[in-house]
Amino acid sequence: MNLRTAFEALPLGRIKPAGWLRNQLRIQADGFTGHLDEQWADVGADNGWLGGKGESWERGPYYVDGLLPLAYLLEDEQLIAKANRWVEWSLASQKEDGSFGPERIETVNNDVNKRQDWWHYMIMLKVMTQHAEAVGDTRIIPFLTSFFKYVHSTITENPLQGWAEARGAEMLLSIQWLYKRTNDAFLLELARQVVGQTIDWTEVFHDFPFWRKVEEWDWKTHVVNVAMGIKTPGVLYELSGEPLEREAVHRGIDSLMTYHGQAHGMFSGDEWLSGTHPSQGVELCAVVEYMFSMEQLTRIFGDGRFGDILEKVAFNALPAAISGDWTSHQYDQQVNQIVCNIAPRSWSNGPDANLFGLTPHFGCCTANMHQGWPKLASHLWMLDGKGGLAAVSYAPCTVSTQVGAGVEAKLEVSGDYPFRDEVAIVIFLARPERFAISFRIPEWCTSPVLTVNGEPVVLQSVNGYARVEREWGDQDKLLLHLPMEVKTVSRNLYAFSVERGPLVYALPIQENWQLLTRREMFHDWEIYPGSAWKYGLLSDTDYEVSLADIPYQPFDAANAPVRLKASGQLVREWKMEGNSAG
């Protein structure tokens, strides 16, 4: 357990979003995340995690797991007060034996043991560790220590089961967080118990057995479990240092993309892994959980590959499933999406899973989607454990931390990446200091260029990172150019996707939004195409790149800040199959 991970996460609040990313968090706060508790009873005042008689399983903790980091990143006092209600109730609910939380489990999920379950606690533990980092609350370490002593004394007679058995790594993350601060020996024993009761994801991913669309229930192929499970070998690597764990992660990702991969960096899963057909859905819960897994795998192993995946998913799959104003979302999105309506598809999910709405199909994503952007923002940069810094993603932000031998540093990162290919970084230092900055060089970038105060610096990339160690001075100006070339990727049934840098491009179909259910704030919509979608690209086409100003919502297709112009033609006989594009 004393293993040094490649990187260390910065405490929540040390990275503040800027530019378009801050706008994205503000849009989120003005939409679902800032108002969901006022509009949706499941996370409202009667929630069991606030002492009420309503839903008391995963939905409240899921919601706060995104609300709390969003509140502190935006420094929004109203949102901080909302998040604090949940934290304070949980702290006050702790009993002498260390247990805490609602007295009983109320949930619409019929696959839960209503007498006892560990899964919902695992989410609230992540809320508590984020809260401790954001405000330095000295109550959290004794609170967690007391709870984990309770778990240690009862987990043999009440072992992990169901969702908790699939997701044991979520509890391990909090156990490891606490151990790094207390060195309590019993935590190592508890960690071993949790590992022993968790699905053996190392075995699943090392020799992946699920080669085709899954048709029936299996904990190991449920898409959200898989998205969470992929980090489990990494979390175990922190305990054991076994090279097999690292190998299992890479082999697992390779297998997922080979047998279930989709153009936006996710694997399919309209409840279970569903193959490579571009009309198979991907559940929004899986998108945000896969992002969190990539953030943790980056921290543990320091491989650039995980940052590549994180960016592709964050900049494509995440915004595609949520309306531009953050007032409706999908349960399942398709990469070849030409209509979003109530219709049967070859999915295990219901006919409404494709809608944009408040709770299409099922409410788990309504509660869980909030963590996506905030956790990306709080993991943009990491410490390298040797006084240096590592860039995970180049979205605009400011980073405040100590470097070298303890010198206060602030980095201002600008340049509107990924909509532009230049990243500007200004370093502010109390005094000149020698330390390293490790720059992630994306796999798609073949000729990166770095200048410091106008002077070129040679970059040598190892495992996706180029480490530059030198004495840095106050107000040093760095310019990193990551040239983006258009490339096409051949996928299922000779379909092609078009990429440039971390962004995936789509034909902008005119959207005709049809109101289905009107509510006070969060309505349900079907969306129909208002323009032709049956275009094929000519195989020898050139791509002309045009740039426009970055709008407040850069993922709104009507105001896209980057466009590609290509040659294609209408494919008249291209039909619909099963209510999706053939």
Side-chain angles (χ1 to χ4, degrees):
M1 187 79 146
N2 294 318
L3 273 181
R4 183 182 292 277
T5 54
F7 300 148
E8 298 167 20
L10 282 155
L12 177 63
R14 293 292 180 87
I15 302 171
K16 287 281 165 43
W20 73 261
L21 182 57
R22 183 179 171 83
N23 292 344
Q24 202 61 224
L25 295 187
R26 190 67 252 169
I27 292 167
Q28 179 177 341
D30 292 340
F32 270 130
T33 312
H35 301 284
L36 190 63
D37 59 322
E38 303 155 18
Q39 305 290 328
W40 189 42
D42 283 31
V43 298
D46 200 35
N47 185 279
W49 285 94
L50 294 171
K53 293 181 169 55
E55 213 275 349
S56 65
W57 189 51
E58 67 178 8
R59 292 187 177 182
Y62 262 157
Y63 174 50
V64 196
D65 191 35
L67 169 67
L68 185 140
L70 179 73
Y72 285 105
L73 290 170
L74 289 175
E75 300 172 283
D76 184 312
E77 292 301 330
Q78 276 185 300
L79 294 185
I80 290 171
K82 282 193 179 199
N84 274 343
R85 287 175 60 208
W86 300 82
V87 171
E88 292 300 332
W89 186 89
S90 287
L91 287 169
S93 73
Q94 190 163 45
K95 296 177 183 164
E96 276 189 34
D97 64 2
S99 64
F100 76 102
E103 290 287 339
R104 66 195 184 289
I105 295 175
E106 295 288 340
T107 173
V108 295
N109 287 64
N110 295 317
D111 43 25
V112 178
N113 179 346
K114 303 286 176 76
R115 292 189 307 282
Q116 196 280 334
D117 187 48
W118 292 112
W119 161 235
H120 50 319
Y121 293 104
M122 297 182 190
I123 317 169
M124 194 52 89
L125 295 173
K126 290 191 291 186
V127 171
M128 291 301 191
T129 57
Q130 291 181 91
H131 169 77
E133 291 181 2
V135 302
D137 191 330
T138 56
R139 297 173 296 170
I140 299 300
I141 285 176
F143 172 86
L144 293 180
T145 302
S146 183
F147 176 69
F148 283 133
K149 284 179 177 172
Y150 167 75
V151 178
H152 188 232
S153 67
T154 58
I155 197 167
T156 303
E157 64 195 66
N158 287 312
L160 306 183
Q161 54 183 309
W163 299 106
E165 186 183 359
R167 301 171 178 182
E170 311 302 315
M171 184 179 280
L172 287 173
L173 286 174
S174 297
I175 293 171
Q176 290 169 340
W177 183 94
L178 184 61
Y179 181 77
K180 286 170 186 170
R181 287 155 178 81
T182 68
N183 284 312
D184 278 345
F186 88 92
L187 291 168
L188 293 181
E189 172 59 29
L190 175 59
R192 283 190 283 271
Q193 288 176 297
V194 172
V195 171
Q197 295 182 13
T198 300
I199 284 175
D200 188 349
W201 288 107
T202 303
E203 182 182 50
V204 171
F205 290 125
H206 191 273
D207 297 297
F208 193 73
F210 305 110
W211 294 2
R212 51 185 62 85
K213 179 176 163 70
V214 178
E215 303 279 3
E216 64 220 19
W217 174 258
D218 188 317
W219 295 104
K220 298 187 191 75
T221 60
H222 182 269
V223 66
V224 186
N225 286 349
V226 172
M228 291 180 172
I230 192 67
K231 70 175 165 291
T232 306
V235 178
L236 300 190
Y237 180 84
E238 279 197 74
L239 291 164
S240 70
E242 289 288 337
L244 176 76
E245 307 292 4
R246 182 189 216 129
E247 195 184 339
V249 172
H250 285 291
R251 286 173 63 121
I253 292 171
D254 290 344
S255 295
L256 285 168
M257 295 316 288
T258 298
Y259 303 120
H260 308 283
Q262 298 285 317
H264 50 26
M266 282 299 299
F267 39 88
S268 68
D270 30 68
E271 216 62 33
W272 306 299
L273 296 173
S274 304
T276 56
H277 194 290
S279 290
Q280 291 296 163
V282 181
E283 186 182 336
L284 178 53
C285 275
V287 172
V288 295
E289 292 296 353
Y290 198 48
M291 286 172 58
F292 182 64
S293 287
M294 292 304 118
E295 290 150 9
Q296 296 305 313
L297 291 170
T298 297
R299 175 183 65 82
I300 295 162
F301 294 123
D303 291 357
R305 178 189 197 182
F306 305 124
D308 289 353
I309 297 169
L310 172 62
E311 286 192 339
K312 195 170 192 181
V313 171
F315 300 151
N316 300 286
L318 177 64
I322 304 170
S323 68
D325 60 0
W326 263 76
T327 62
S328 63
H329 77 280
Q330 291 179 293
Y331 188 85
D332 287 328
Q333 63 171 300
Q334 303 162 300
V335 291
N336 246 17
Q337 192 161 264
I338 56 165
V339 59
C340 306
N341 64 347
I342 297 181
R345 294 177 169 86
S346 60
W347 300 348
S348 68
N349 298 141
D352 62 343
N354 195 223
L355 293 183
F356 274 80
L358 172 61
T359 57
H361 182 66
F362 199 65
C364 56
C365 299
T366 309
N368 190 24
M369 63 184 176
H370 312 273
Q371 65 170 311
W373 287 122
K375 289 188 184 176
L376 175 74
S378 62
H379 291 92
L380 290 171
W381 288 73
M382 295 188 185
L383 304 173
D384 70 0
K386 304 167 191 161
L389 289 166
V392 179
S393 174
Y394 297 104
C397 66
T398 58
V399 186
S400 302
T401 188
Q402 290 187 337
V403 293
V407 176
E408 288 296 329
K410 181 179 175 185
L411 274 68
E412 289 185 353
V413 183
S414 59
D416 289 321
Y417 178 92
F419 309 106
R420 301 290 186 267
D421 60 9
E422 280 196 340
V423 182
I425 303 170
V426 182
I427 303 176
F428 298 91
L429 288 167
R431 64 168 190 271
E433 183 71 2
R434 186 175 185 83
F435 61 95
I437 300 179
S438 295
F439 298 92
R440 196 186 111 253
I441 306 301
E443 183 269 333
W444 47 259
C445 182
T446 54
S447 51
V449 179
L450 174 67
T451 61
V452 178
N453 301 322
E455 297 291 316
V457 176
V458 176
L459 294 175
Q460 286 186 310
S461 180
V462 179
N463 275 347
Y465 273 91
R467 191 169 182 271
V468 177
E469 184 173 351
R470 58 184 283 164
E471 182 175 271
W472 303 93
D474 184 41
Q475 297 192 46
D476 275 351
K477 292 177 174 58
L478 292 69
L479 198 62
L480 179 64
H481 184 212
L482 300 170
M484 297 178 181
E485 301 291 330
V486 178
K487 68 171 187 174
T488 55
V489 182
S490 178
R491 312 193 71 87
N492 172 289
L493 298 174
Y494 304 103
F496 276 76
S497 56
V498 181
E499 302 177 3
R500 180 176 173 272
L503 297 180
V504 181
Y505 288 76
L507 179 74
I509 304 170
Q510 191 179 328
E511 298 172 10
N512 185 353
W513 288 63
Q514 303 279 340
L515 186 65
L516 278 185
T517 306
R518 180 180 292 282
R519 299 187 185 87
E520 185 182 339
M521 192 166 183
F522 305 124
H523 318 309
D524 291 351
W525 306 85
E526 290 185 324
I527 310 176
Y528 290 92
S531 59
W533 58 267
K534 301 180 180 189
Y535 283 101
L537 290 167
L538 296 179
S539 60
D540 60 352
T541 181
D542 292 322
Y543 294 88
E544 183 187 312
V545 180
S546 65
L547 303 177
D549 291 342
I550 314 281
Y552 184 61
Q553 175 49 285
F555 297 104
D556 172 13
N559 299 301
V562 195
R563 290 171 185 268
L564 303 180
K565 198 171 179 181
S567 297
Q569 72 179 48
L570 206 58
V571 182
R572 290 182 57 180
E573 62 273 22
W574 191 351
K575 297 182 174 68
M576 288 181 71
E577 297 169 5
N579 295 303
S580 299

